[in-house]
Amino acid sequence: MPEHNVERVLISESEIAERVEQLGSLLTEKYRGKNPLFICPLKGSVMFFADLLRKIKIPCEIDFMAVSSYNSNTVSSGEVKILKDLTCDIGGRYAVIVEDIIDTGNTLYELKNMLEKRNPASLEICTLLDKPSRRVKKLDPDYCGFTIPDLFVIGYGMDLDEEYRNLPYIGVYSNT
Ligand code: IMP
Ligand code: MG
């Protein structure tokens, strides 16, 4: 049974696992021999990041970053602030940003521009979820787990006011 405030399960644990494995295989083939750097923007991406990395079967490195997007609101502002920067230099590296969800695109658009200035050899985006109907900025992920309609989702790392990140599935939030 879904918990309180979960209207329904949108994507189950097994559906997530199956898709994450497919994405891992795609990235494994794409980046073989390139020692890619996978970047996890905290905190929403942690579950996806940890699961995806275990499906990548080539040598690679990881790093973490924190940028501000939502406060106690459910719409991002278009202004992005670095709260915690990467610890490694991405110059000349094959970098992949691993994101939980692209909504308006504001956060990732700014983050991508910021990181492009550091001259990586390449910079791709792998997102678990995409809500293209909400897009404000022109931004297309290179890899996407699931395209979803305009719904506010929680679980598998994603939150509402820091709650629900620990749900093992992706649910539709309901405030009734
Ligand atoms: P954007 O800047 O509007 O694309 O928002 C990006 C960030 O907002 C994502 O990385 C998530 O952390 C958060 N976000 C967007 N939509 C949702 C949602 O439906 N549930 C939970 N978090 C979301
Ligand atoms: Mg995020």
Side-chain angles (χ1 to χ4, degrees):
M1 267 299 283
E3 355 264 296
H4 186 54
N5 284 337
V6 177
E7 188 182 285
R8 64 193 157 92
V9 175
L10 186 66
I11 308 171
S12 69
E13 278 188 77
S14 59
E15 287 168 331
I16 295 170
E18 191 183 328
R19 189 68 184 124
V20 168
E21 184 154 8
Q22 291 168 351
L23 291 173
S25 302
L26 288 172
L27 290 164
T28 296
E29 293 321 314
K30 174 79 188 265
Y31 287 100
R32 196 178 291 285
K34 295 197 158 116
N35 188 29
L37 174 72
F38 292 99
I39 298 171
C40 177
L42 298 168
K43 305 172 196 171
S45 306
V46 286
M47 308 285 178
F48 176 43
F49 192 76
D51 285 343
L52 180 66
L53 263 288
R54 277 175 280 193
K55 299 298 176 192
I56 289 171
K57 309 296 182 188
I58 49 168
C60 62
E61 293 176 31
I62 65 173
D63 205 349
F64 297 86
M65 223 180 154
V67 296
S68 60
S69 54
Y70 292 172
N71 298 320
S72 293
N73 205 322
T74 52
V75 182
S76 76
S77 62
E79 241 176 79
V80 170
K81 209 169 71 189
I82 296 185
L83 305 176
K84 182 219 170 296
D85 207 340
L86 298 170
T87 53
C88 69
D89 178 9
I90 65 165
R93 300 293 305 267
Y94 294 90
V96 182
I97 303 172
V98 178
E99 185 60 293
D100 50 357
I101 182 166
I102 310 176
D103 186 32
T104 63
N106 282 328
T107 314
L108 216 48
Y109 182 85
E110 295 299 325
L111 181 60
K112 199 175 179 215
N113 282 348
M114 242 184 267
L115 295 181
E116 290 281 13
K117 291 188 185 126
R118 301 181 190 182
N119 298 314
S122 67
L123 181 60
E124 286 197 315
I125 294 171
C126 175
T127 189
L128 179 63
L129 304 180
D130 189 9
K131 281 197 265 189
S133 62
R134 297 254 310 159
R135 202 74 95 251
V136 169
K137 292 276 163 55
K138 165 116 188 66
L139 184 87
D140 293 313
D142 301 284
Y143 304 88
C144 171
F146 303 91
T147 299
I148 64 166
D150 183 8
L151 297 167
F152 195 81
V153 292
I154 51 177
Y156 197 63
M158 288 168 284
D159 73 310
L160 176 66
D161 285 345
E162 296 301 324
E163 218 181 324
Y164 314 108
R165 294 193 195 275
N166 57 319
L167 299 180
Y169 53 82
I170 296 166
V172 178
Y173 178 75
S174 141
N175 56 5
T176 54

